[in-house]
């Protein structure tokens, strides 16, 4: 049995969604961010980086969102181009942009004080420009008609990009530039993903509200805290 170490409405949500989409049985282990449990000695034995998520597997622990996603989809043989597919390289490239660009820049915006010694708001303005660039690029990519992004059958990349749209809307402190309707293809992706059975299961598990991607409200989780 896989064990997902998670916190409500954190990056672990992306992993939960893909596990649900794949129909893979899993258990969850709450990492209580309210008590900073991600930095506890017990959790650091699971994930020495002290980040969420981590996935315990029969072959050891995997951490970092992109690594977990790729392990899951390759093991299942679904939700990604196969290793020998001509589309594999492009898919991996955009997965890494999500991991090393979009996800990192969201963290830099949310926790700006950790990443700059200068004025926090100046740092956030710089990061906001990068975030808008990420949205523009994924919006354009959706218009190119790839089977591995935005098609009828969702891929890991669909979930990796659609899920953070709720955090743009909820947590960009003091920012007013984000309106999902400015990126209509991304909005359509969000609406399709939030209607999936996988998202409906996650809504119940993490208290995400009826429209968690297209028109999100703060999470009210049944356990732990969303931070």
């Amino acid at each position: 049995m896989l064990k997902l170490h998670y916190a409500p409405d954190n990056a672990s949500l992306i992993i939960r969604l893909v596990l649900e989409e794949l129909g893979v049985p899993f258990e969850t282990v709450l990492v209580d961010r309210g008590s900073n449990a991600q930095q506890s000695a017990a959790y650091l034995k699971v994930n020495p980086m002290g980040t969420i998520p981590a996935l315990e597997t029969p072959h050891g622990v995997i951490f970092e969102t992109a690594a977990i996603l790729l392990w899951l989809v390759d093991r299942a043989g679904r939700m990604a181009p196969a290793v020998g597919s001509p589309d594999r390289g492009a898919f991996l490239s955009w997965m890494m942009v999500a991991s090393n660009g979009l996800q990192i820049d969201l963290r830099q915006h949310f926790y700006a004080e950790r990443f700059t010694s200068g004025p926090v708001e100046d740092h956030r303005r710089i990061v906001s420009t990068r975030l808008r660039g990420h949205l523009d690029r994924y919006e354009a990519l959706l218009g190119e008609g790839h089977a591995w992004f935005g098609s009828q059958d969702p891929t890991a990349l669909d979930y990796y990009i659609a899920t953070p749209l709720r955090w743009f809307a909820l947590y960009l402190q003091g920012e007013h530039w984000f309106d999902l309707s400015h990126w209509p293809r991304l909005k359509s992706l969000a609406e399709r993903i939030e209607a999936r059975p996988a998202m409906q299961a996650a809504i119940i598990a993490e208290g995400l509200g009826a429209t968690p991607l297209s028109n999100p409200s703060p999470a009210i989780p049944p356990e732990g805290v969303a931070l």
Side-chain angles (χ1 to χ4, degrees), residues 4-217:
L4 174 62
H5 293 257
Y6 91 104
D9 206 15
N10 277 236
S12 52
L13 174 59
I14 302 166
I15 307 302
R16 179 192 290 276
L17 289 166
V18 170
L19 285 164
E20 293 282 1
E21 184 72 43
L22 289 171
V24 175
F26 67 101
E27 299 174 352
T28 57
V29 180
L30 177 68
V31 183
D32 183 10
R33 293 196 62 183
S35 62
N36 204 34
Q38 70 272 24
Q39 294 299 321
S40 68
Y43 186 67
L44 290 173
K45 289 181 180 178
V46 176
N47 180 358
M49 300 305 295
T51 55
I52 304 166
L55 186 71
E56 289 190 64
T57 83
H59 311 292
V61 177
I62 307 171
F63 46 90
E64 297 298 319
T65 304
I68 298 170
L69 290 174
L70 290 172
W71 186 86
L72 286 172
V73 298
D74 284 352
R75 183 170 177 262
R78 292 174 48 208
M79 298 186 70
V83 172
S85 167
D87 292 332
R88 180 72 174 190
F91 173 81
L92 290 176
S93 295
W94 287 104
M95 286 286 288
M96 293 307 105
V97 171
S99 176
N100 299 333
L102 177 63
Q103 192 172 3
I104 292 297
D105 283 336
L106 279 171
R107 282 180 55 82
Q108 289 224 7
H109 195 289
F110 297 160
Y111 309 113
E113 65 281 356
R114 302 180 189 176
F115 295 96
T116 181
S117 58
V120 168
E121 290 309 314
D122 288 350
H123 182 75
R124 283 202 175 107
R125 279 192 290 272
I126 293 169
V127 175
S128 290
T129 299
R130 297 204 298 263
L131 288 170
R132 288 194 293 270
H134 293 310
L135 295 175
D136 290 343
R137 284 185 286 274
Y138 282 107
E139 175 78 6
L141 188 64
L142 283 169
E144 295 177 6
H146 299 290
W148 42 267
F149 187 44
S151 65
Q152 182 176 357
D153 297 321
T155 66
L157 184 60
D158 291 311
Y159 277 105
Y160 206 175
I161 299 306
T163 307
L165 295 174
R166 71 176 272 104
W167 304 323
F168 274 88
L170 290 175
Y171 303 125
L172 265 64
Q173 302 171 15
E175 298 279 349
H176 304 290
W177 58 265
F178 179 76
D179 181 340
L180 189 54
S181 64
H182 295 162
W183 294 274
R185 296 188 188 101
L186 285 171
K187 183 177 180 181
S188 178
L189 175 66
E191 291 168 346
R192 293 197 304 275
I193 291 294
E194 71 185 6
R196 302 285 300 179
M199 181 61 81
Q200 298 306 305
I203 285 171
I204 295 169
E206 300 195 17
L208 302 177
T211 53
L213 304 183
S214 64
N215 187 24
S217 56

